[in-house]
């Protein structure tokens, strides 16, 4: 690893060059490619609405044709003037402006959904179009779809008298090869639930923006033998059909989203946990002990040094956490890399 050289008394190194217009445009290009682009009738009017109603921050402005905004939570949104509209937002030749085409939803992660909805309805003088326990949908001035998504908190209810269960599946199961859109970070054990949920919100926004097809349940991969440690090295995301047309990573705000993690074909031991996700921390040591006692594992660590879990329920649909099912996987031949 390179080390930073201490400054000398007579430092002859050239001063850092200021960014040229080409550098700025390159930065904007990468930012736009990792965000969501929307069509609007008038860029200035739409920009003012996003700043006033959603607390957006302006990152780049190109006059009447385009501006780039950062929404709370880090999501990037580009506002593009529709080609059939004049610079001042009026329709050409006195005709009626065409409505913006349907677009991928913009997901805005919020820590308090009720407060976010109340602030929106006050500032926008409008109501959300639909609402669940974890999501509230609405539209901007041009009909583009947006939604607040709850990040953190207890996403589901459970009967305290109902114990969680773990069932060890007999024999190994085949694992299909998949490529993931994912986020990886060392995370304190007590914050794993919130981290997983926030990662799924961000990666889903990338899936929507890039029109990628999901081919399986969302997963969390645990790197290394982290059980019992204060922090776990976890990677969270969705398996997708292909990411070949994308770069190795996408930057969403300050978050790096990987497009190259692969879950290769192989064999793995499996268990199913029924109950709230809070019980998974206790389930993993039991499952790993079971897997290592299985002759197929050779008594050692999982193949590739990694294990993962799949979430088989959508908590926004199934609110009873006692019914949530999570599959735990211990590879004995192949695994994420």
């Amino acid at each position: 690893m390179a080390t930073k050289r201490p400054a000398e008394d007579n430092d002859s190194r050239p001063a850092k060059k200021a960014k040229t217009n080409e550098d700025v445009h390159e930065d904007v290009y990468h930012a736009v490619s990792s965000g969501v682009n929307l069509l609007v009738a008038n860029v200035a009017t739409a920009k003012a609405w996003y700043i006033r109603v959603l607390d957006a921050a302006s990152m780049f402005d190109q006059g009447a044709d385009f501006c780039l905004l950062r929404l709370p939570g880090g999501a990037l949104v580009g506002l593009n003037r529709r080609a059939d509209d004049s610079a001042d937002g009026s329709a050409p030749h006195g005709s009626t402006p065409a409505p913006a085409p349907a677009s991928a939803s913009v997901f805005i992660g919020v820590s308090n959904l009720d407060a976010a909805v109340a602030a929106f309805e006050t500032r926008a003088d409008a109501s959300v179009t639909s609402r669940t326990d974890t999501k509230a949908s609405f539209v901007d001035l041009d009909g583009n779809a947006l939604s607040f998504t709850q990040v953190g908190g207890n996403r589901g209810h459970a009967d305290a008298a109902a114990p969680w269960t773990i069932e060890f599946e007999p024999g190994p199961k085949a694992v299909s090869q998949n490529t993931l859109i994912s986020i990886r970070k060392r995370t304190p054990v007590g914050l794993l639930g919130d981290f997983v949920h926030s990662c799924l919100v961000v990666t889903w926004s990338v899936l929507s923006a890039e029109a990628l097809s999901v081919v399986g349940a969302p997963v969390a991969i645990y790197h290394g033998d982290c059980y019992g440690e204060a922090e776990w090295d976890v990677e969270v995301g969705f398996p997708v059909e292909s990411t070949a047309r994308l770069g190795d990573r996408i930057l969403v705000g300050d978050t790096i989203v990987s497009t190259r993690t692969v879950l290769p074909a192989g064999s793995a031991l499996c268990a199913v946990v029924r109950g709230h996700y809070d019980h998974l921390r206790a389930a993993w040591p039991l499952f790993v002990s079971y897997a290592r006692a299985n002759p197929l594992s050779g008594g050692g660590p999982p193949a590739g040094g990694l294990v993962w879990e799949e979430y088989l329920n959508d908590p926004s649909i199934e609110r009873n956490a006692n019914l949530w099912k999570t599959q735990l996987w211990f590879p004995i031949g192949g695994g994420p890399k």
Side-chain angles (χ1 to χ4, degrees):
M1 182 174 68
T3 59
K4 186 177 180 181
R5 185 185 65 178
E8 301 174 358
D9 293 339
N10 296 314
D11 196 342
S12 60
R13 289 174 293 176
K16 186 176 181 181
K17 293 174 62 177
K19 285 192 174 183
T20 65
N21 287 338
E22 290 184 356
D23 294 329
V24 173
H25 290 159
E26 185 72 10
D27 290 345
V28 171
Y29 170 79
H30 286 300
V32 172
S33 66
S34 67
V36 177
N37 285 290
L38 304 177
L39 297 179
V40 298
N42 185 292
V43 171
T45 301
K47 174 184 174 182
W49 184 90
Y50 273 80
I51 292 174
R52 176 176 58 85
V53 175
L54 300 179
D55 289 327
S58 178
M59 295 184 63
F60 180 79
D61 201 315
Q62 200 171 35
D65 293 322
F66 172 79
C67 76
L68 182 67
L69 303 175
R70 186 196 299 275
L71 300 182
L76 298 176
V77 173
L79 303 180
N80 300 265
R81 180 170 63 87
R82 287 198 300 254
D84 58 348
D85 292 318
S86 64
D88 63 1
S90 61
H93 308 299
S95 60
T96 302
S103 62
S105 292
V106 179
F107 293 88
I108 306 171
V110 297
S111 59
N112 187 319
L113 186 60
D114 291 334
V117 169
F120 166 78
E121 294 184 336
T122 299
R123 296 172 183 174
D125 193 23
S127 299
V128 297
T129 56
S130 65
R131 170 78 188 264
T132 67
D133 289 339
T134 58
K135 186 169 116 175
S137 301
F138 56 97
V139 295
D140 66 8
L141 294 175
D142 295 270
N144 294 298
L146 301 97
S147 64
F148 295 122
T149 303
Q150 178 77 46
V151 177
N154 186 356
R155 294 170 293 280
H157 64 270
D159 181 358
W164 63 278
T165 63
I166 181 170
E167 178 182 350
F168 303 112
E169 299 282 349
K173 292 183 176 294
V175 177
S176 300
Q177 176 170 308
N178 283 308
T179 301
L180 303 180
I181 291 287
S182 59
I183 298 170
R184 179 176 177 178
K185 184 179 180 182
R186 289 195 64 85
T187 305
V189 173
L191 299 179
L192 281 175
D194 290 348
F195 175 71
V196 169
H197 184 70
S198 63
C199 287
L200 295 180
V201 171
V202 174
T203 51
W204 186 262
S205 71
V206 173
L207 297 176
S208 300
E210 300 294 343
L212 298 173
S213 298
V214 178
V215 296
V219 302
I221 302 168
Y222 298 104
H223 297 259
D225 192 4
C226 54
Y227 321 109
E229 296 183 4
E231 291 185 340
W232 289 18
D233 185 356
V234 59
E235 185 169 2
V236 181
F238 290 88
V240 295
E241 189 170 11
S242 175
T243 61
R245 60 183 172 84
L246 303 178
D248 289 346
R249 64 181 190 174
I250 296 173
L251 190 63
V252 180
D254 297 326
T255 300
I256 296 174
V257 179
S258 170
T259 65
R260 292 294 185 265
T261 296
V262 175
L263 187 68
S267 297
L269 300 174
C270 177
V272 176
V273 176
R274 290 175 170 82
H276 199 283
Y277 299 141
D278 289 348
H279 298 303
L280 293 175
R281 183 170 53 174
W284 268 112
L286 296 176
F287 176 52
V288 170
S289 295
Y290 161 81
R292 286 179 172 173
N294 191 305
L296 292 174
S297 72
L306 310 164
V307 294
W308 68 94
E309 61 196 26
E310 285 185 285
Y311 309 108
L312 304 184
N313 298 91
D314 183 347
S316 67
I317 298 174
E318 177 54 74
R319 296 298 296 164
N320 185 353
N322 295 320
L323 302 179
W324 293 353
K325 292 196 297 184
T326 308
Q327 277 189 310
L328 312 186
W329 295 92
F330 185 105
I332 55 177
K337 65 180 182 181

